[in-house]
């Protein structure tokens, strides 16, 4: 189970947001329900940490699929700070991740619209800096689902759990039910611009 920096209270007063790779929809729900949001760079990466900033979950016909960006082992504490982390090219992970995304969402309603915006991140990565890569990638998806510019600063809802929404494997696999707590990519691929209003339900 992938864990993120999520407060455990039903309605958080302050949410400490730490940049991560394609955060799950619950992270965005927490952001929307918080009275205030703090964007923290004061986080030091450790492979043993409960907060898995370099991992995400996407859906598939066979259930959730975990994707991990490999991180170069930091030489010291300063280099382990989130904004100093370096992405490793080990294992051709970009090809693996894009293959998984294509396999999972190639037939999703908004794949053909979102895929061209995402593909360059996996075929011609512009930076080795993990923090910059994730922030830029996440912003592309946030813009695609039309989050308003000031959405981080307003309390818009009092619910935490993201309501079920259409997922392609619900219709193609017998007895499959809604898979919760997947990456923001999942709801973007399925609902497109309707994803943001859905998060407010």
């Amino acid at each position: 189970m992938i864990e993120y920096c999520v407060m455990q209270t039903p309605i958080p007063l302050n949410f400490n947001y730490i940049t991560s790779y394609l955060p799950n929809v619950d992270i965005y729900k927490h952001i929307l329900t918080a009275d205030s949001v703090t964007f923290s760079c004061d986080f030091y990466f450790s492979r043993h940490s409960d907060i898995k900033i370099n991992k995400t979950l996407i859906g598939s016909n066979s259930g959730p699929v975990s994707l991990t960006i490999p991180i170069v082992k930091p030489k010291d504490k300063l280099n382990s700070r989130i904004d100093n982390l370096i992405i490793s090219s080990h294992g051709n992970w970009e090809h693996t991740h894009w293959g998984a995304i294509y396999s999972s969402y190639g037939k999703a309603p908004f794949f053909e619209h979102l895929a061209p915006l995402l593909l360059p991140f996996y075929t011609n990565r512009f930076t080795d800096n993990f923090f910059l890569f994730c922030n830029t990638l996440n912003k592309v998806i946030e813009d695609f689902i039309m989050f308003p510019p000031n959405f981080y600063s307003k309390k818009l809802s009092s619910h935490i759990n993201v309501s079920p929404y259409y997922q392609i494997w619900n219709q193609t696999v017998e007895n499959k039910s809604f898979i919760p707590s997947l990456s923001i990519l999942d709801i973007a691929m399925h609902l497109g611009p309707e994803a943001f209003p859905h998060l407010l339900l």
Side-chain angles (χ1 to χ4, degrees), residues 61 99 125 130 134-135 151 169:
N61 284 336
R125 181 161 46 86
F130 173 82
C134 290
N135 274 337
F151 82 98
W169 41 83

Side-chain angles (χ1 to χ4, degrees), residues 153 177 195:
S153 62
S177 58

